[in-house]
Amino acid sequence: MKINKVKLRIALYQYNTLLFKTPTYIDLFLNSLKLTLPIIILQVVIGSLAAYGFTMWKSRYKEVLYCAYIILMVLPFQATLVSNYIMADSLGILNTHLSIILSWGFNPFAVFIMRQSMKGIPYSVYEAAQIDGAGHVQRFFHIALPLAKTGALALVILSFADAWAMVEHPMIFLKDSSLEPLSVMLYSIGQGNMGLIFAASVFYMLPVVWIFLYGQEHLESGINLSALKYRRGA
């Protein structure tokens, strides 16, 4: 019993040290939130607007343009990393969170998920709303978004997991270590103290575990819906 109490005291000591005696951890954790949350919002907004445009736009070149756009989704991030870096440098936003938020916010995967969800909405619903005098703004906010909620929630979960674990972009775009997210500096938090590193890793993965457990049903529904629409070519 005494040995178990000693082990418990040692384990809790690592968490106490991490949360109350390691201010760097809290700062880096907040940096991760400052990067991840705007990225999610930007991906949902841009993905939803682009998906609605691809859904409503009537042109024989629509599918060709959409396929060309989606090709970017299968490219490795290294293929666009240099161009994103050059663009951020020309805009003068290197070494800022904005350089990463913008490069991650415009994500073809977000457009794919949202379009597959919106294509499940019968076009007659849009036509009925148009007859009643609803414009594109009303149809987008009152029809497209509510009925594509499952896809949007799936996108939020996947985007959070992806952005929360980012490493390469912060290492290249950020020169100031105080701006880096926790994913980059996690290994050096404990400075060789394996117990402290483990405690930091536990707190680091808690948001991802929580959001996956909370949104598991929406994630499965969104992915299944997207895969079904993709196979049918709808």
Side-chain angles (χ1 to χ4, degrees), residues 52 118 121-122 125-130 134 137-149:
Y52 179 80
M118 290 184 183
I121 305 172
V125 177
Y126 294 114
E127 291 178 336
Q130 185 178 9
V137 175
Q138 289 79 11
R139 280 179 279 173
F140 176 74
F141 283 104
H142 296 289
I143 297 177
L145 278 184
L147 295 181
K149 180 179 67 175

Side-chain angles (χ1 to χ4, degrees), residues 100-136:
I100 299 176
I101 292 172
L102 291 180
S103 62
W104 277 64
F106 294 85
N107 191 342
F109 179 73
V111 180
F112 173 79
I113 288 288
M114 293 306 300
R115 186 178 187 244
Q116 296 305 105
S117 297
M118 290 184 183
K119 288 177 72 173
I121 305 172
Y123 194 79
S124 58
V125 177
Y126 294 114
E127 291 178 336
Q130 185 178 9
I131 293 174
D132 290 338
H136 283 294

